Amino acid sequence: MGAMNVSLPDGLKVFVDEQVAKRGYGTISEYVRELIRKDKDKTQLRSLLLEGAASIPSGVADAAYFEGLRDHIRRHTAK
């Protein structure tokens, strides 16, 4: 695992220390890793949403469409 040093102004350091204590993280590193993971997930979701918005519609998402999805899931989870 790589190491990284980060310098923070005193006010941010106090905030981070408070969050670590309040949220039950064992270390500051755990807190920072969780923030980075959440940001990575948010970035990936944004990318997928933009990709979907730019794509050509493939059909109507009406009640029949969603019922077909439910049937598909039922068939594949019943096994």
Side-chain angles (χ1 to χ4, degrees):
M1 184 180 305
M4 182 181 293
N5 294 320
V6 177
S7 297
L8 298 174
D10 291 338
L12 288 180
K13 172 73 168 81
V14 169
F15 176 78
V16 169
D17 289 338
E18 289 171 352
Q19 296 307 302
V20 169
K22 287 179 185 176
R23 296 182 177 187
Y25 292 98
T27 65
I28 292 172
S29 292
E30 288 177 12
Y31 174 69
V32 171
R33 280 193 295 269
E34 181 68 15
L35 291 176
I36 293 169
R37 282 187 202 101
K38 286 181 180 179
D39 190 46
K40 182 180 175 187
D41 289 347
K42 185 172 70 173
T43 301
Q44 289 173 336
L45 177 58
R46 179 178 171 76
S47 175
L48 290 171
L49 290 170
L50 291 172
E51 182 182 323
S55 69
I56 299 170
S58 61
V60 177
D62 58 6
Y65 170 80
F66 286 106
E67 189 55 38
L69 287 177
R70 288 184 198 95
D71 287 341
H72 177 79
I73 291 168
R74 287 183 198 112
R75 284 192 307 272
H76 288 84
T77 58
K79 294 179 181 180

